[in-house]
């Protein structure tokens, strides 16, 4: 490699680390959503695919392993973690993440680039401190320090899997120790990119494979019984793919596709998706309806309603009518829908791989959610005609937001009966759930953590 080429490569790698640092600071200081923050940071940087991948790996990796990294920092830093500046704290996290989890980056490069990153971030006075912490960690073998005697099992698991103690306790109590640990293991790392093919625009996975081969991207079927589901690898930005721009598919995890299957929609029906943004489930339902009938996609934020409209237009789904409506307190009464999807706001504990910043949330975020969810569920039930089907779903793993809500609804609504879920053969049922409920576990089903329940309005 020529000297100029080596210099350019080092410069772009330094830029990738700077992009990751700035994005992390935005999440930590401004509370931004990880996917939106990173998309914005990458769009403004002139980097090739390799450097973009490095920036993304550092950004998501640090967010995901933050509690483990902070445990290491606290062990080696002479300054308490909370007294470190945000820039120094995140630079140390980036350096330690490379030393602990990125085998292809030489240890010397991880240390030296962290020092350079400090100086480039106007943290010159901290450069020596950062160098000292990282080199002390290397001298001790670059492993997580031993846990102190007397440390509780919950705290130990929290550090090991970078989960807050309240979440470890919640899952151990709700699902047992073995399942809780399996969940924490399964929710580490980047999830696969699964898409739902649009039958109005593409004949099947084989046609998509031929198209994506031009972009050196592979599309493969995921499971039997779901012919319109495919996994893409490698991905990068899907917006760059002509097939995406032409409406051949939209991004959607298998769990959400199963949720749409549970509604059993048919062409010509009236369907409502009461918490629809960004629109993925509305798109799948409209495709299942063969773009025949009427699908009302509601959200309480006008900007998010516009996102639904643009997505429907890209996919050629003319039956979707996107409109502003507050599902928890609707101003205009509606009725006589054949199917209603009630995918409520939730704590998101089933999608930690996609939104790792949830790991740093306080337990108090759960307090107000069940009341809001139940209010939305009860209001949504009013939309349904007799013999109509209502599906309640979340992307979380918390019985208070899931099974207990479904049980409460049936107890307080005698005009509704449980509707058995029709599931593909590959979906393993949980013995502890009735036939109208399903909790999808990442370590069992290979999907996001998700909950689905179905009800039918009686005559």
């Amino acid at each position: 490699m020529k000297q100029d080429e080596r210099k350019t490569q080092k410069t772009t790698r330094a830029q990738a680390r700077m992009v990751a640092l700035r994005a992390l600071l935005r999440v930590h200081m401004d509370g931004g959503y990880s996917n939106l923050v990173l998309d914005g940071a990458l769009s403004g940087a002139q980097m090739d695919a390799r450097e973009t991948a490095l920036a993304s790996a550092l950004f998501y990796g640090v967010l995901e392993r933050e509690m483990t990294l902070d445990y290491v920092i606290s062990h080696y830093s002479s300054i308490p973690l909370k007294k470190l500046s945000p820039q120094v704290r995140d630079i140390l996290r980036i350096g330690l993440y490379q030393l602990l989890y990125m085998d292809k980056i030489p240890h010397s490069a991880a240390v030296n680039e962290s020092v350079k990153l400090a100086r480039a971030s106007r943290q010159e006075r901290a450069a020596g401190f950062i160098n000292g912490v990282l080199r002390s960690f290397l001298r001790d073998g670059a492993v997580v320090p031993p846990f102190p005697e007397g440390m509780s099992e919950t705290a130990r698991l929290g550090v090991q899997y970078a989960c807050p103690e309240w979440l470890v306790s919640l899952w151990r109590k709700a699902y047992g120790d073995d399942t809780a640990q399996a969940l924490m293991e399964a929710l580490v790392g980047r999830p696969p990119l699964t898409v739902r093919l649009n039958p109005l625009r593409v004949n099947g996975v084989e046609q998509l494979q031929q198209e994506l081969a031009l972009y050196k991207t592979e599309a493969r079927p995921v499971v039997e019984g779901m012919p319109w589901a495919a996994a893409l690898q490698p991905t990068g930005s899907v917006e760059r793919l002509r097939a995406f721009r032409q409406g051949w598919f939209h991004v959607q995890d298998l769990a959400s596709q199963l949720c749409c299957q549970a509604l059993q929609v048919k062409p010509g029906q009236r369907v409502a998706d009461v918490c629809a943004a960004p629109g993925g489930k509305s798109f799948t339902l409209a495709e299942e309806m063969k773009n025949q009938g009427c699908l009302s996609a509601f959200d309480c934020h006008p900007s998010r309603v516009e996102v639904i409209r643009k997505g429907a237009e890209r996919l050629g789904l003319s039956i979707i009518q996107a409109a502003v409506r507050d599902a928890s307190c609707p101003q205009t009464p509606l009725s006589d829908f054949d199917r209603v999807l009630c995918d409520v706001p939730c704590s998101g504990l089933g999608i930690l791989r996609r939104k790792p910043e949830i790991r740093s949330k306080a337990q108090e975020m759960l307090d107000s959610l069940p009341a809001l969810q139940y209010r939305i569920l009860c209001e949504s039930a009013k939309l349904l005609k007799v013999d109509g089907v209502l599906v309640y779903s979340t992307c979380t793993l918390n019985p208070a937001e899931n099974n207990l809500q479904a049980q409460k609804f049936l107890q307080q609504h005698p005009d509704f009966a449980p509707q058995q879920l029709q599931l593909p053969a590959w979906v393993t049922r949980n013995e502890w759930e009735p036939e109208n409920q399903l909790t999808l576990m990442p370590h069992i089903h290979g999907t996001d953590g998700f909950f689905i329940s179905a009800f039918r309005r009686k005559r």
Side-chain angles (χ1 to χ4, degrees):
M1 185 184 294
K2 296 180 180 179
Q3 184 176 355
D4 289 346
E5 290 177 348
R6 286 197 297 267
K7 184 177 180 181
T8 300
Q9 189 178 63
K10 288 182 179 180
T11 301
T12 53
R13 288 180 180 176
Q15 185 184 9
R17 290 179 171 88
M18 180 60 76
V19 167
L21 173 61
R22 289 173 177 169
L24 286 167
L25 289 170
R26 281 204 60 190
V27 171
H28 290 140
M29 299 176 70
D30 302 333
Y33 291 108
S34 59
N35 58 330
L36 299 179
V37 168
L38 185 63
D39 287 347
L42 294 178
S43 64
Q46 299 296 322
M47 298 189 299
D48 62 22
R50 186 176 179 180
E51 308 313 321
T52 296
L54 175 59
S56 300
L58 292 173
F59 174 75
Y60 280 117
V62 168
L63 287 178
E64 185 174 72
R65 298 285 192 173
E66 187 172 303
M67 293 177 190
T68 307
L69 299 172
D70 286 354
Y71 175 78
V72 176
I73 294 172
S74 296
H75 185 83
Y76 286 96
S77 173
S78 58
I79 304 172
L81 186 69
K82 291 184 178 180
K83 291 190 176 182
L84 296 174
S85 72
Q87 290 85 354
V88 171
R89 200 159 46 227
D90 277 334
I91 292 170
L92 280 172
R93 288 165 175 164
I94 290 172
L96 288 169
Y97 181 79
Q98 293 170 83
L99 295 174
L100 269 170
Y101 303 110
M102 301 186 80
D103 297 336
K104 293 183 179 180
I105 296 180
H107 287 174
S108 58
V111 175
N112 293 336
E113 292 300 322
S114 297
V115 172
K116 293 178 183 178
L117 187 58
R119 291 174 176 149
S121 305
R122 298 181 181 179
Q123 301 293 316
E124 294 91 346
R125 295 178 62 183
F129 168 76
I130 290 170
N131 182 69
V133 170
L134 297 180
R135 292 198 179 279
S136 295
F137 178 64
L138 277 177
R139 281 195 298 271
D140 288 347
V143 295
V144 176
F147 299 119
E149 290 187 15
M151 190 177 193
S152 69
E153 178 72 2
T154 297
R156 185 187 65 79
L157 289 170
V159 172
Q160 182 177 349
Y161 294 106
C163 281
E165 289 187 39
W166 65 262
L167 180 53
V168 178
S169 297
L170 172 65
W171 282 348
R172 293 180 74 188
K173 181 179 179 181
Y175 307 119
D177 289 351
D178 292 342
T179 297
Q181 186 162 341
L183 281 175
M184 288 185 281
E185 290 175 351
L187 288 171
V188 170
R190 300 305 300 145
L193 182 68
T194 308
V195 301
R196 156 79 190 198
L197 275 62
N198 181 2
L200 303 179
R201 296 282 174 88
V202 63
N203 294 327
V205 177
E206 289 186 2
Q207 185 181 356
L208 182 63
Q209 286 174 334
Q210 295 173 3
E211 166 66 19
L212 295 187
L214 301 173
Y215 297 85
K216 297 182 180 180
T217 297
E218 177 187 359
R220 58 176 177 78
V222 184
V223 290
E224 293 185 8
M226 299 185 72
W228 301 108
L232 306 189
Q233 179 66 35
T235 56
S237 172
V238 294
E239 287 81 2
R240 70 186 172 89
L241 303 174
R242 181 175 62 182
F244 177 83
R245 297 193 301 270
Q246 293 182 345
W248 285 24
F249 66 86
H250 65 274
V251 177
Q252 188 173 54
D253 186 70
L254 276 180
S256 294
Q257 296 186 44
L258 279 171
C259 176
C260 294
Q261 275 194 8
L263 209 56
Q264 302 176 28
V265 296
K266 298 177 182 178
Q269 289 182 328
R270 289 188 71 222
V271 178
D273 184 355
V274 299
C275 301
K281 296 181 184 67
S282 293
F283 304 153
T284 297
L285 292 171
E287 291 164 1
E288 289 288 318
M289 296 166 67
K290 300 181 179 180
N291 202 34
Q292 299 172 27
C294 177
L295 196 153
S296 298
F298 299 119
D299 194 87
C300 59
H301 299 290
S303 61
R304 292 167 64 84
V305 170
E306 187 59 29
V307 171
I308 300 172
R309 288 187 181 131
K310 289 181 178 178
E313 182 179 358
R314 178 179 63 83
L315 295 162
L317 300 172
S318 58
I319 68 168
I320 293 180
Q321 299 177 359
V324 177
R325 181 178 183 272
D326 187 344
S328 66
C329 187
Q331 300 298 310
T332 303
L334 299 172
S335 61
D336 291 332
F337 284 91
D338 299 286
R339 300 287 188 270
V340 174
L341 175 59
C342 185
D343 185 59
V344 296
C346 68
S347 55
L349 302 179
I351 55 171
L352 293 183
R353 295 180 299 177
R354 301 185 189 279
K355 296 184 177 180
E357 68 273 19
I358 293 174
R359 294 174 183 268
S360 62
K361 301 293 185 182
Q363 185 175 6
E364 288 71 28
M365 77 168 182
L366 302 179
D367 293 345
S368 62
L369 283 171
L372 172 64
Q373 293 161 346
Y374 192 69
R375 188 161 66 249
I376 293 175
L377 176 57
C378 294
E379 289 292 341
S380 301
K382 299 174 184 177
L383 303 178
L384 208 61
K385 65 167 55 173
V386 173
D387 281 335
V389 175
L390 167 67
V391 165
Y392 170 84
S393 64
T394 74
C395 58
T396 196
L397 295 169
N398 176 18
E401 300 178 66
N402 296 344
N403 311 86
L404 296 181
Q405 298 280 46
Q407 295 168 14
K408 179 180 177 181
F409 178 78
L410 285 175
Q411 291 170 357
Q412 298 187 358
H413 292 79
D415 53 331
F416 278 82
Q419 172 74 7
Q420 182 178 356
L421 295 173
Q422 303 298 322
L423 301 170
W426 63 269
V427 178
T428 303
R429 297 298 305 257
N430 301 306
E431 295 180 357
W432 44 272
E433 288 182 308
E435 292 185 338
N436 76 311
Q437 298 180 25
L438 174 67
T439 300
L440 291 164
M441 298 287 192
H443 65 287
I444 296 174
H445 302 100
T447 67
D448 289 340
F450 208 90
F451 176 76
I452 306 167
S453 55
F455 315 92
R456 180 177 292 275
R457 189 164 196 170
K458 297 189 291 187
R459 289 188 175 276

